[in-house]
Amino acid sequence: MPTPSAAKFTRDGRTCGMITITHLPWGCGRLRMSRGEMFRDLNYRVLTLVLIGLAIIGFLLTGRPSNTHGVDHHVNVITIERMRHGADYYEAMDSGLREAYGPSETLRAFRMPTLFLVWSRIPNDWLIWVLYLATAAGTGLLSTRLTRFPLIGVVVALILMITGRIREGGQWMEQYTTVELWAAGMVVVVAVLWQKGAYRSAALAALAGALMRETAAGLLVGGLIGAWTIRTRRPVWSAALLAFGAAYIIHASQVSQWLVPRGQGSETPLLGTGGITDVLAMMGFGLPIPLLAGPLLWSFATHQAWRRRHWPALVHLMLPWCGLLLHRPYWGILTMPLVVTFGADGLGDAISKLRRTRSAEVSGAPRGEQPEA
């Protein structure tokens, strides 16, 4: 029986023999690695691990969580603390929302309870912060399996860490219980599992991600489309999507008893608050010059997802277009790992293709006529 390192993949009638277990089985270029390339790749991965480790140490040295909170984090901290003292999630969330905003009119004010059930069993907020740093680091390291540029994992981890604790006005502002930050890790897990062909595990991970934050449900939709396209694991993906639907219906029924009639709540408007700027901001969340870098990398990432036939990623990458209807730029954290990793590969491919084209033009250019003797 062949060992994993002897696995074979075919593309366009060619057979590619893998030197090592790699994460890009759709192109022969990456699979045929020289010994020097293997060592260079290993060195970059070690450097990625070291840099992420240093980032964790740096953020731990910033001290314990401060009392300056983002609004969502403030609500979540209140909810977690009251759950630690025995309150039901929905009761605790309602009291947190009333303290921060006022009474709620709609379902959207209440997050899915999944993460809160976990956080409430952690003794204090400092340990939640430490666990978040470990999750961000793991997400960054795992994201290196989605790109041929290992250092991109450092970018993913740093964006998550910086977003979880922002330096503002000379002090740290806490946001690390924002559920999108935690669900972003599951997006990477799903992407890696689908890429490896572990479709059943990918379906379970996609279900977990959607139960953390319902805006990640595109992973389930994309996975089901992919399962029908490649004719595999259809029942698993169908069951996962149905399970999420059932869970959300139960969640909605639990929330309904805590809502007040329309006109008596204090929620901010949602639909009709967006525009094209919000789409671009979601695409470039966490990136420098987001309104320019975001659309560029998002375009390359979408092309890469299509090229790889990565259906969960492809559908999930459509999330920023919700910005046409609503102002929720922080939703972009859910697509950020895919935008950065897939986008970097797409940009790298475009640059390589441009260089090859120019090289071919130079080598094939007609030489000037020789002067007469």
Side-chain angles (χ1 to χ4, degrees):
M1 184 175 181
T3 61
S5 61
K8 300 286 185 180
F9 293 92
T10 60
R11 180 173 182 241
D12 300 331
R14 297 174 294 165
T15 300
C16 304
M18 294 176 65
I19 295 175
T20 57
I21 301 176
T22 65
H23 51 285
L24 300 175
W26 51 86
C28 295
R30 175 62 175 170
L31 299 178
R32 292 175 177 172
M33 297 175 65
S34 67
R35 189 178 297 275
E37 289 174 328
M38 290 172 60
F39 280 115
R40 184 163 58 250
D41 184 74
L42 177 61
N43 289 338
Y44 277 127
R45 293 186 183 282
V46 171
L47 179 60
T48 298
L49 180 61
V50 170
L51 291 176
I52 292 178
L54 290 174
I56 291 177
I57 294 172
F59 274 97
L60 287 175
L61 291 176
T62 60
R64 287 181 169 271
S66 69
N67 292 323
T68 304
H69 299 162
V71 178
D72 282 359
H73 179 78
H74 180 65
V75 173
N76 295 347
V77 166
I78 294 173
T79 302
I80 294 166
E81 187 60 30
R82 291 180 179 172
M83 289 179 70
R84 287 176 181 145
H85 288 85
D88 171 76
Y89 163 73
Y90 295 98
E91 176 189 358
M93 176 59 79
D94 179 66
S95 62
L97 288 168
R98 287 175 181 271
E99 182 173 323
Y101 295 107
S104 302
E105 298 177 354
T106 62
L107 171 64
R108 66 182 175 88
F110 286 71
R111 298 290 182 256
M112 297 289 283
T114 311
L115 284 169
F116 292 88
L117 295 174
V118 175
W119 291 335
S120 63
R121 284 162 175 74
I122 298 175
N124 55 63
D125 295 344
W126 163 250
L127 291 179
I128 296 178
W129 167 238
V130 173
L131 179 60
Y132 173 71
L133 289 177
T135 302
T139 302
L141 290 173
L142 189 60
S143 67
T144 63
R145 308 303 299 174
L146 298 173
T147 176
R148 64 176 182 272
F149 304 110
L151 288 176
I152 291 296
V154 180
V155 177
V156 173
L158 281 177
I159 291 176
L160 290 172
M161 292 179 188
I162 291 170
T163 307
R165 174 175 280 187
I166 295 177
R167 187 71 174 175
E168 190 174 89
Q171 58 185 348
W172 295 102
M173 184 175 73
E174 312 298 342
Q175 297 189 130
Y176 56 85
T177 61
T178 304
V179 292
E180 286 82 0
L181 294 171
W182 296 73
M186 294 309 300
V187 172
V188 175
V189 172
V190 173
V192 171
L193 290 172
W194 180 275
Q195 192 163 272
K196 291 176 61 179
Y199 301 118
R200 180 183 298 171
S201 298
L204 295 176
L207 175 59
L211 291 176
M212 290 181 182
R213 187 63 166 111
E214 58 272 24
T215 44
L219 294 168
L220 288 168
V221 176
L224 184 58
I225 293 172
W228 279 92
T229 301
I230 62 178
R231 301 178 183 277
T232 184
R233 301 298 181 190
R234 296 175 188 174
V236 176
W237 283 95
S238 300
L241 189 57
L242 289 173
F244 168 71
Y248 197 73
I249 291 172
I250 295 171
H251 170 65
S253 67
Q254 292 293 317
V255 170
S256 62
Q257 60 184 306
W258 301 98
L259 302 180
V260 298
R262 289 191 177 276
Q264 298 181 19
S266 55
E267 294 178 21
T268 56
L270 181 63
L271 293 178
T273 60
I276 190 63
T277 304
D278 293 282
V279 175
L280 303 181
M282 280 196 215
M283 291 177 177
F285 186 91
L287 300 174
I289 322 179
L291 299 185
L292 294 177
L296 177 66
L297 286 178
W298 180 88
S299 300
F300 282 119
T302 304
H303 178 261
Q304 280 288 307
W306 171 256
R307 180 187 172 195
R308 303 178 187 189
R309 298 299 186 265
H310 201 309
W311 295 100
L314 185 61
V315 173
H316 184 67
L317 281 167
M318 298 300 110
L319 180 63
W321 290 102
C322 293
L324 289 173
L325 299 176
L326 45 88
H327 176 71
R328 289 296 183 271
Y330 63 90
W331 284 9
I333 198 67
L334 287 168
T335 55
M336 178 274 298
L338 299 181
V339 169
V340 173
T341 53
F342 283 25
D345 273 14
L347 181 60
D349 288 347
I351 293 173
S352 297
K353 184 177 181 179
L354 181 62
R355 286 177 176 175
R356 288 195 302 268
T357 302
R358 288 184 176 180
S359 177
E361 290 175 352
V362 171
S363 62
R367 297 183 180 180
E369 296 183 1
Q370 295 294 328
E372 296 182 1

